Amino acid sequence: QIVINARDTLKKNGVITGSFTTEQTKQLALQLNAGALPVAIKIIEQKNVGATLGRESVNKSLLAGLIGLFIVASFMVLKYGYMGLLADAALFIYTLLTLALFKLIPVTLTLAGIAGFILSIGMSVDANILIFERTKEEERSGKPKKMALALGFARAWTSIKDSNVSSLITCAILYWFGTGMIKGFALTLAVGILVSLFSAITVTRNFLDVFYNPKEKKQ
């Protein structure tokens, strides 16, 4: 064991303590002065990106994410009408919550991290699509909208839970065995999945309960 106590950094003085012979101490001092310690270096990841290229890549990725978000939101409105509009409002809240968590953890949004975040947006919308399709099936069978909505959420929950749990397991494996950018991707995706579960089950459901069928609630 080597313990080096710096007494005076300005005068470059220090004390080396440990179980050494006089010769070993002199050799260690020479190595410290030469800056060549006998320590093996294992390169885990090496990446050279210029400042301009890095900023340009991040900006383009953010732009791609915004375009993708707009396309997804438009699809939800065109496909599901008023329900899709409410889902888009929930998706906006989901985005704000996820970015707030990224700030609190904190998470550095590299290119891989942005990719994980964008992928989690798609998975959040996927949960809403499952719920809406089950709700439409219940409405086609003749059930009132309020009952169809409750059954749609209840019967879609199993599929949503299973798919998201399997994705979280994959994220855990990537984070545990991956390095560098892979860990960033796994972390942002996992956070996004957890928030999407809250968004799809809580935020979207409350929006639909309040705004989807107000006439039926007044009766």
Side-chain angles (χ1 to χ4, degrees):
Q1 184 179 4
I2 303 173
V3 179
I4 302 175
N5 297 321
R7 294 290 182 85
D8 191 339
T9 55
L10 292 177
K11 295 181 180 180
K12 299 181 180 179
N13 295 327
V15 178
I16 302 174
T17 60
S19 301
F20 303 102
T21 63
T22 302
E23 187 61 31
Q24 288 174 335
T25 304
K26 291 180 179 179
Q27 184 66 26
L28 181 57
L30 288 173
Q31 290 172 341
L32 287 173
N33 289 328
L37 285 173
V39 178
I41 298 176
K42 181 181 179 182
I43 299 177
I44 297 176
E45 182 178 357
Q46 183 172 342
K47 204 172 174 62
N48 295 322
V49 178
T52 303
L53 179 60
R55 179 182 296 178
E56 183 180 354
S57 299
V58 171
N59 290 338
K60 286 184 177 180
S61 298
L62 290 174
L63 178 61
L66 291 175
I67 294 173
L69 184 61
F70 174 76
I71 293 174
V72 168
S74 301
F75 169 80
M76 293 296 290
V77 173
L78 293 174
K79 178 69 175 178
Y80 298 103
Y82 188 58
M83 293 175 67
L85 184 62
L86 295 177
D88 289 343
L91 186 62
F92 177 73
I93 293 176
Y94 156 81
T95 303
L96 293 180
L97 288 175
T98 305
L99 292 176
L101 283 176
F102 288 168
K103 185 70 175 178
L104 290 174
I105 291 176
V107 175
T108 302
L109 284 179
T110 61
L111 293 180
I114 294 173
F117 173 57
I118 294 173
L119 180 59
S120 68
I121 292 176
M123 298 184 70
S124 175
V125 173
D126 181 63
N128 287 325
I129 290 174
L130 286 174
I131 293 168
F132 293 165
E133 289 296 333
R134 292 308 300 262
T135 300
K136 288 169 67 175
E137 288 179 6
E138 299 299 332
E139 288 182 355
R140 283 194 292 266
S141 66
K143 294 183 177 63
K145 286 187 176 181
K146 185 177 179 180
M147 182 183 295
L149 186 61
L151 290 173
F153 272 90
R155 294 176 177 176
W157 166 243
T158 302
S159 300
I160 295 172
K161 179 189 66 176
D162 292 345
S163 63
N164 282 277
V165 167
S166 63
S167 298
L168 286 173
I169 292 173
T170 303
C171 290
I173 295 172
L174 288 175
Y175 189 83
W176 184 262
F177 294 102
T179 58
M181 296 179 67
I182 301 300
K183 282 191 173 184
F185 172 81
L187 180 59
T188 54
L189 181 58
V191 171
I193 290 172
L194 291 173
V195 178
S196 72
L197 283 172
F198 169 78
S199 173
I201 301 303
T202 303
V203 179
T204 304
R205 183 165 192 169
N206 285 330
F207 277 175
L208 291 174
D209 283 341
V210 174
F211 299 110
Y212 180 51
N213 196 27
K215 293 182 179 180
E216 193 172 279
K217 287 181 176 291
K218 291 179 181 180
Q219 292 177 355

